[in-house]
Amino acid sequence: MRIAFFSTKSYDKEFFKKTDSSHKIVFYETALNKDTANLTKDFDCVCAFVNDKINKEVIKELKENGVKLIALRCAGFNNVDLQAAKEANIKVVRVPAYSPHAVAEHAVSMLLTLNRKTHKAYNRIRENNFSLERLTGFDLYEKTVGVIGTGLIGSIFCKIMLGFGCKVIAHDLFPNAELAKAGVIYTELDSLLSSSNIISLHCPLMPETKYIINKSNFDKMKNGVMLINTSRGGLINTKDAIAALKSKKLGYLGIDVYEQEEKLFFNDLSEVIIEDDLIARLMSFPNVLITSHQGFFTKEALQQIASITLQNISDIENGKACDNEIA
Ligand code: NAI
């Protein structure tokens, strides 16, 4: 197929170019949205990522241009109007899992960094400041870790935290019997919120989970709780998180995802005035750690993304059943 590849970064090019396939790929750095959909003329397929906006208007133009397939090189598909794609007879495929270990391990690295303040120690020592003042952390051993969503990523996160000797409690609509056997205790959301020292979010963003972490749920948490979000920004009401940080209810916040990340993440904006006042306020807190949606970002995951995406496209081209088809 002729593929128009959007939101290309150097690492996408590297991994897709070295993966064998018969497809012809044209790499565009720009994101796919209503202003760039015209670039898809005479392509059979578009390859898109998390912050490409594939709404009804874009899908209409894709259809007019001859596109028959939207190949997402990510797991989430909240940025695609699936109904509109179906009506336009455009198939949508995705990569449901590339490395759940990568994301779970990143959540743990955020947790450890916030707790032991490694990022501050690194900077201090580069300036010959060998003081330990204000670097105090806490033992993870025997602390209660609450995990919301125990699918692929959440269950790996649970197992890692069990390895630290934590008490791991979890909330999921579909409890996992194997995890329960390994020592994870399933509980209702309210009880998880009120008894956890650390809470990590691993459920998808859906209408039911939008702002699952809001003022009323912050009020139920322990004072000084640590919150980690490597899932989707819309799970947390950012304004409420800022209020919780100011009142010290929230003692630590680690986010790899952010509600309005599409205007910021994956771009070098070091010479640009940031207009988003919410992220600017978040960045001002000493106990907030932000990474730019890099949870997935390991060599193993990038290789898997390239291989599975190209295989999905070949399957559709050859009329084979594709398990990763979502519409
Ligand atoms: P998954 O589908 O395997 O697991 C999600 C789990 O959440 C399921 O067990 C489901 O039953 C549960 N769930 C659904 N609604 C719930 C609710 N209301 N309350 C509690 N649990 C609920 O998904 P996976 O692969 O573990 O991914 C989780 C999320 O991680 C994805 O939705 C995605 O947003 C995010 N992600 C982030 C990446 C990053 O780079 N930071 C990369 C890949 C995924």
Side-chain angles (χ1 to χ4, degrees):
M1 282 196 182
R2 270 177 60 79
I3 306 170
F5 196 105
F6 285 88
S7 301
T8 309
K9 299 291 178 198
S10 62
Y11 41 86
D12 294 313
K13 244 189 195 165
E14 180 191 340
F15 282 87
F16 274 80
K17 277 189 165 173
K18 74 178 184 195
T19 305
D20 260 358
S21 89
S22 55
H23 306 295
K24 180 156 175 15
I25 308 180
V26 175
F27 292 97
Y28 293 120
E29 283 181 21
T30 183
L32 175 57
N33 54 45
K34 64 178 172 37
D35 300 322
T36 59
N38 58 335
L39 293 170
T40 62
K41 218 169 176 28
D42 299 327
F43 283 94
D44 309 297
C45 168
V46 294
C47 184
F49 197 51
V50 290
N51 291 330
D52 291 309
K53 271 218 161 75
I54 313 176
N55 56 21
K56 208 171 180 162
E57 201 179 341
V58 171
I59 287 172
K60 184 171 176 281
E61 190 154 355
L62 296 185
K63 186 177 170 60
E64 283 164 11
N65 289 348
V67 172
K68 295 171 206 65
L69 175 64
I70 297 167
L72 296 170
R73 55 183 190 280
C74 53
F77 46 86
N78 48 301
N79 53 334
V80 184
D81 186 332
L82 293 181
Q83 187 56 35
K86 201 171 170 191
E87 282 162 19
N89 207 16
I90 295 180
K91 290 184 188 293
V92 184
V93 290
R94 65 168 183 149
V95 184
Y98 23 95
S99 175
H101 291 278
V103 186
E105 288 169 16
H106 188 67
V108 177
S109 82
M110 296 195 92
L111 184 166
L112 288 171
T113 305
L114 279 167
N115 176 17
R116 304 305 297 266
K117 303 174 178 62
T118 337
H119 55 312
K120 295 188 183 192
Y122 174 82
N123 283 326
R124 277 190 190 186
I125 286 181
R126 286 166 72 90
E127 294 189 357
N128 296 345
N129 175 356
F130 297 93
S131 159
L132 295 185
E133 295 293 340
R134 300 181 306 281
L135 293 184
T136 325
F138 59 85
D139 286 7
L140 287 175
Y141 181 67
E142 291 189 336
K143 293 295 182 301
T144 301
V145 178
V147 181
I148 302 180
T150 54
L152 287 171
I153 297 170
S155 59
I156 294 168
F157 180 83
C158 285
K159 288 179 196 161
I160 298 174
M161 297 323 294
L162 285 172
F164 276 103
C166 295
K167 176 179 176 189
V168 181
I169 60 177
H171 172 70
D172 197 304
L173 308 177
F174 304 97
N176 172 331
E178 187 218 328
L179 274 187
K181 210 168 156 197
V184 173
I185 301 162
Y186 278 93
T187 177
E188 288 310 309
L189 183 61
D190 279 1
S191 121
L192 180 148
L193 296 172
S194 61
S195 43
S196 299
N197 303 102
I198 298 165
I199 296 172
S200 194
L201 307 181
H202 297 287
C203 58
L205 176 61
M206 302 183 296
E208 310 82 69
T209 56
K210 169 100 178 163
Y211 291 162
I212 192 169
I213 304 297
N214 55 17
K215 182 179 180 323
S216 102
N217 279 342
F218 275 122
D219 288 345
K220 294 172 193 157
M221 295 179 196
K222 279 181 187 285
N223 288 331
V225 64
M226 180 188 289
L227 176 65
I228 305 288
N229 185 10
T230 55
S231 206
R232 281 293 179 266
L235 296 177
I236 300 180
N237 181 317
T238 310
K239 283 188 186 155
D240 292 352
I242 290 171
L245 284 159
K246 283 163 87 173
S247 70
K248 302 194 173 65
K249 166 63 79 175
L250 188 52
Y252 312 78
L253 175 66
I255 53 170
D256 185 49
V257 284
Y258 168 62
E259 266 190 272
Q260 306 178 80
E261 68 178 50
E262 71 261 24
K263 293 198 186 107
L264 304 166
F265 286 11
F266 307 127
N267 298 312
D268 178 357
L269 303 179
S270 47
E271 298 299 322
V272 174
I273 306 295
I274 301 289
E275 289 187 16
D276 183 331
D277 291 342
L278 287 182
I279 198 144
R281 184 65 179 104
L282 280 179
M283 290 191 296
S284 75
F285 291 99
N287 48 352
V288 172
L289 178 66
I290 304 174
T291 53
S292 175
H293 208 134
Q294 72 175 80
F296 73 100
F297 202 53
T298 63
K299 288 181 207 164
E300 290 81 358
L302 288 170
Q303 187 53 64
Q304 279 288 96
I305 289 171
S307 307
I308 297 172
T309 303
L310 292 169
Q311 187 58 50
N312 286 341
I313 297 170
S314 297
D315 287 348
I316 298 292
E317 184 177 33
N318 299 324
K320 284 194 195 159
C322 176
D323 288 345
N324 299 330
E325 189 176 334
I326 43 176

